[in-house]
Each structure stands twice: as structure tokens, then as C-alpha cells.
Amino acid sequence: MNKVEIIEKAYQLAKEQYAALGVDTDAALEKLNEVIISLHCWQTDDVGGFEKPDAELGCGGIQVTGNYPGKASTIQEMRQDLDKVLSLLPGKQRLNLHAIYGEFGGKLIDRDQIEPEHFQGWIDWAKERGMGLDFNPTCFSHPKADDGFTLSSKNEEIRKFWVEHVKKCRAIAAEMGKQLGVPCVDNIWIPDGSKDVPVDRNGHRELLKKSLDEIFETEYPREYLKDSVESKLFGIGAESMTVGSHDFYLGYAVKNNKLICLDTGHFHPTEQVGDKISSCLLFVDEVLLHISRPVRWDSDHVTTLNEEIQLIASEIIRNDFLSRLNIGLDFFDGSINRIGAYVTGTRAVQQAFLIALLEPTGMLKGFEERGKNFERLAFMELLKSKPFGAVWDYYCLKNNVPVGEDYIAEIQQYEVDVLSHRQ
Ligand code: RNT
Ligand code: ZN
């Protein structure tokens, strides 16, 4: 048998095993096409951006480690990398941009001056590929963020500057959604917080609320723009208090009909983001996910197929929540091949959704409702050894992307041909 025949044969056998449990694998693969993941552009260059050469992250509660060669340092290189990534992923993706990734033509355009024109190149790029775009204000890596406060700053000049930046970002995001015919999610995350125990927590939170109210004064059609707010537990340099905590933003989102962004690295390590989805969706219309892999803390490791991701995917699929979830990634590892990081991480998330789609949920729920919890447990364990990998391989084959380990060789080749020639 040749390679293709083996994949097809393995799929047929897997299909029969799942059918015995009442699961239709063809239908699962059909549904998997609806899982659209937004690729975070910042994995290509360690959140550098193109504002000025050698931009540094600065303090602001996020950190990239590693200096693996081959990082993209121009928009052309970044687009080349993203095209490579897209060619290795089955299904459809979106692209998630940060405000520092505009085409500023070598000029210093400060954050409060950015306009849709600086992102027209990206809009055209996305249109050519039939992709949607998402967007983020960049409220870090800037002298006006150096004292640790942006939208919640007590310095009125600084606060106004960041309000203006975020307003500009919403206008850009709305333009992206308008031109592409699919809403753009604009997600606000700020690093504001305090290293040591503060006295006035409330003062900063009142200011953040005031800034957000000012930012959201302008209304845009929901077909163009969806506004989202992202909470965090703590950051490096902001260990004692984060202004935009989960309580703060969940309250704000519920009251103001915004999306809440749940980043898997932004909670206490024993909390599960998968558990939060059904609660949030009772009170907000939609959720944005920033899927990452925290290791001991918000370390933004490349996502792998772990229980956390699995629970997230299962909760979404079991409850038919896909249309209310915006699935984004948010990891950045500069210590390994960056294209490899993307593809491995994105495929892991896609696989988690596939496993969720291959679950005989009705049967498990039936056990649960009849108090048959041994049977529920036993079947959930059994499902772990069912041949989902054969179904996944078949999906890759049908999508004309490398199957199994073949994508690794492609990335190694790209490293030789392209990445190793970069400065
Ligand atoms: C930081 C947040 C935020 C950033 C990106 C780059 O802790 O997770 O989403 O990672 O905006
Ligand atoms: Zn995030």
C-alpha cells in the first residue's frame, strides 16, 4: 500500500470504531471546517512590530524569551512566514494583528496618529487569501507606557494619549471588517498594574472605566467591529495589582455588551478557562479566546494537546457554542523555529476540537443524568485511546496539507531555504 492508501484505510477502520459509538466521523470533519482560528501575527517576530527598527518590549507584563535565528524583520518576511504557516494548516484561519504592525513607510507615526491607510496593505493581503482580520491596540513597548499605567494613568496627558490610540484602533478595525465583509474583533489589553502593594486600587479602576467609556462612545456596526476586553491576573512588574482584573472586565463586558477575552494564561494555575465559557456566555453574547500554554505562570508557551485545551474545545462543541466563540492564539516562543511553533500550536488546538467532535456526547450525558457515573468515567477514558489520529491524518490529506510528521520536514526545509539567510 502507498502512503495515501494507508491513510484512507486507517480512516475507514477508525470510522467504523467511532460509528460503533454512534459518532459520524465525516460529519465531524465537516464541522471541523467551522473552527476558524485567528493566528496571532506576533509569533513571527517576538512581538517586535515595525514601528521602528529593534523595538523592545519594555516592561509591561509580557516577555518573550529566546533568540532562535530567522525572526521576521520586515513585513515582507512576516507575510512570507505567514503564507508558509497557512500552507501547512488544514482548514481556514484568520489573522490577528497588533497596532505596531502597520506599514508606516519608515516614518515615525506615533500611536495616536495611526490610520486605516497604514493597514490597507494587510487588508488587501487578507482579502486575496479570503481571510478575516482581527486587531489589537498596542498599549506597551512605548515611552508613555514606561511608568506602568496607560488607560488607567493618573497623568491625564498619558491617559488621553492612550484613549486616542485605542479609539484609532477601533476605527482601523472597523475598516478592516467593512472591507473584508466579516467582523473584526478588536481586543483591548493593557499592562496597567503595580509591582508593589498599592494604596489606591480603586482610583486606577475608576480611571480605566472612564477611559473605556470614552473609547466606546463612537459606535460602529457589529458587522464591522466587535469590541473585546482582556483581563489578567498579574504580569512581570505588575505582581501586586492588575487594574484590568477578571472581575473588572467581566463586569464591564456584561454591563456594556462587549466581548470578554479569556486568555488561558491569565488566571490562577488551577482555574480552568474551559469551565468559564458556559458562565460567561450566559451574560455576554460572545467570548474571545487567547489560547496559550502557561507553564507555572503566564509564560505563553506553544499550545499542546493538553487537558486545558481539550476542556475548552469540549465545552464549545458540547454546547454548540462555536458561533459565539472567537478563537485566537496567544503564545510567543522565540527559542524554537517560529514557524514550527505556529504550526504545532495551531494543529494542537485543531486536534482538540476534532477530539471534541468525535465524542458521543449524548451517550455520556445519558449516563450522567441516570447517575451512571462509573460508565461515564469508563467511556471518557476509553475515548482517549480511540484512533482520532487516523481521522486527523485523513483531514490533512483531504485538505492537501502535509500529513503526520511530514510538516516537520517542510519546516526544516524552509529553515534551510529561507530563515537561515536572514540577519
Ligand atoms: C498579555 C496579553 C495580550 C498580549 C498580546 C500581545 O498578557 O495576553 O493579549 O499577549 O496582546
Ligand atoms: Zn492574551
Side-chain angles (χ1 to χ4, degrees):
M1 274 195 285
N2 66 32
K3 231 173 169 171
V4 171
E5 286 166 349
I6 293 172
I7 296 163
E8 283 176 342
K9 177 97 190 195
Y11 177 67
Q12 288 311 322
L13 293 171
K15 188 176 163 150
E16 282 171 31
Q17 284 200 49
Y18 282 107
L21 293 167
V23 174
D24 178 346
T25 51
D26 291 331
L29 291 183
E30 196 57 42
K31 190 82 186 165
L32 190 56
N33 288 325
E34 290 172 32
V35 176
I36 297 173
I37 295 175
S38 192
L39 302 174
H40 54 312
C41 76
W42 50 95
Q43 166 63 53
T44 55
D45 77 331
D46 311 343
V47 211
F50 302 114
E51 260 183 333
K52 45 189 184 313
D54 299 327
E56 284 198 11
L57 265 187
C59 66
I62 58 175
Q63 215 166 45
V64 184
T65 47
N67 198 16
Y68 198 83
K71 153 166 122 175
S73 57
T74 62
I75 291 205
Q76 288 65 38
E77 288 179 352
M78 185 170 172
R79 289 185 182 151
Q80 186 182 17
D81 289 355
L82 288 167
D83 273 329
K84 188 69 202 174
V85 170
L86 292 170
S87 77
L88 299 174
L89 292 174
K92 250 178 101 99
Q93 284 77 38
R94 300 168 61 85
L95 177 67
N96 189 8
L97 290 168
H98 240 283
I100 47 177
Y101 290 88
E103 289 177 276
F104 304 115
K107 285 190 261 349
L108 194 88
I109 312 277
D110 210 351
R111 304 268 169 96
D112 58 344
Q113 304 292 319
I114 57 170
E115 299 290 343
E117 67 187 69
H118 301 121
F119 294 87
Q120 191 57 48
W122 280 116
I123 298 174
D124 297 339
W125 188 88
K127 197 179 249 166
E128 273 169 32
R129 285 155 186 76
M131 291 172 86
L133 287 177
D134 297 311
F135 202 58
N136 306 259
T138 313
C139 301
F140 49 84
S141 307
H142 189 282
K144 286 199 166 69
D146 278 353
D147 73 353
F149 294 95
T150 62
L151 291 179
S152 76
S153 176
K154 291 192 176 183
N155 177 325
E156 187 61 5
E157 192 199 314
I158 289 185
R159 191 185 72 80
K160 282 277 179 211
F161 173 84
W162 290 110
V163 166
E164 192 52 31
H165 171 60
V166 181
K167 281 185 170 180
K168 293 277 185 168
C169 287
R170 289 184 74 231
I172 292 165
E175 183 61 25
M176 288 174 166
K178 185 178 177 185
Q179 287 194 38
L180 295 170
V182 46
C184 172
V185 179
D186 182 58
N187 177 55
I188 302 174
W189 173 77
I190 57 166
D192 299 31
S194 138
K195 182 178 176 75
D196 220 330
V197 181
V199 174
D200 189 12
R201 296 167 192 257
N202 179 57
H204 287 289
R205 294 206 166 110
E206 282 182 343
L207 284 165
L208 177 54
K209 179 176 176 298
K210 179 176 167 189
S211 294
L212 293 172
D213 290 345
E214 289 171 17
I215 287 163
F216 294 131
E217 258 165 28
T218 314
E219 293 203 20
Y220 294 94
R222 190 88 165 196
E223 314 95 78
Y224 300 163
L225 172 69
K226 298 196 278 195
D227 291 299
S228 165
V229 286
E230 179 181 5
S231 70
K232 188 161 176 167
L233 180 61
F234 83 100
I236 298 282
E239 292 85 355
S240 297
M241 188 268 294
T242 294
V243 183
S245 60
H246 186 54
D247 314 66
F248 177 93
Y249 279 126
L250 187 59
Y252 194 90
V254 168
K255 193 160 181 188
N256 298 284
N257 193 22
K258 301 296 171 201
L259 276 63
I260 182 81
C261 172
L262 303 174
D263 183 309
T264 50
H266 290 191
F267 296 90
H268 281 282
T270 59
E271 280 185 87
Q272 294 171 302
V273 163
D275 181 62
K276 298 178 186 295
I277 293 171
S278 55
S279 295
C280 291
L281 285 182
L282 284 172
F283 304 103
V284 297
D285 291 342
E286 294 184 31
V287 162
L288 169 67
L289 291 176
H290 269 191
I291 305 185
S292 168
R293 176 166 51 107
V295 177
R296 299 189 187 278
W297 69 291
D298 179 36
S299 59
D300 295 299
H301 278 64
V302 178
T303 49
T304 54
L305 186 52
N306 61 18
E307 284 196 341
E308 167 82 322
I309 311 297
Q310 195 52 75
L311 181 64
I312 290 172
S314 298
E315 279 298 300
I316 296 171
I317 297 303
R318 285 172 184 159
N319 298 298
D320 205 9
F321 282 154
L322 255 189
S323 61
R324 297 173 65 194
L325 258 295
N326 301 271
I327 307 162
L329 305 174
D330 186 12
F331 52 79
F332 25 96
D333 189 343
S335 73
I336 59 175
N337 180 306
R338 293 172 183 79
I339 316 301
Y342 260 128
V343 180
T344 303
T346 312
R347 282 183 171 223
V349 176
Q350 292 178 305
Q351 289 184 343
F353 276 93
L354 175 59
I355 292 173
L357 287 163
L358 293 172
E359 179 186 272
T361 308
M363 179 180 85
L364 297 176
K365 220 168 142 183
F367 289 138
E368 185 165 293
E369 284 166 359
R370 281 180 280 123
K372 299 280 185 198
N373 290 346
F374 151 66
E375 288 81 350
R376 179 185 65 182
L377 178 70
F379 269 101
M380 282 168 88
E381 279 305 289
L382 261 167
L383 282 166
K384 291 179 182 170
S385 60
K386 292 290 167 200
F388 96 89
V391 183
W392 169 255
D393 286 349
Y394 181 74
Y395 185 62
C396 291
L397 179 77
K398 290 291 149 192
N399 274 267
N400 295 313
V401 297
V403 177
E405 64 271 30
D406 288 357
Y407 87 89
I408 300 170
E410 283 237 17
I411 290 172
Q412 288 170 331
Q413 194 59 47
Y414 187 72
E415 180 163 326
V416 172
D417 295 344
V418 180
L419 302 179
S420 67
H421 300 291
R422 290 183 185 164
Q423 288 311 307

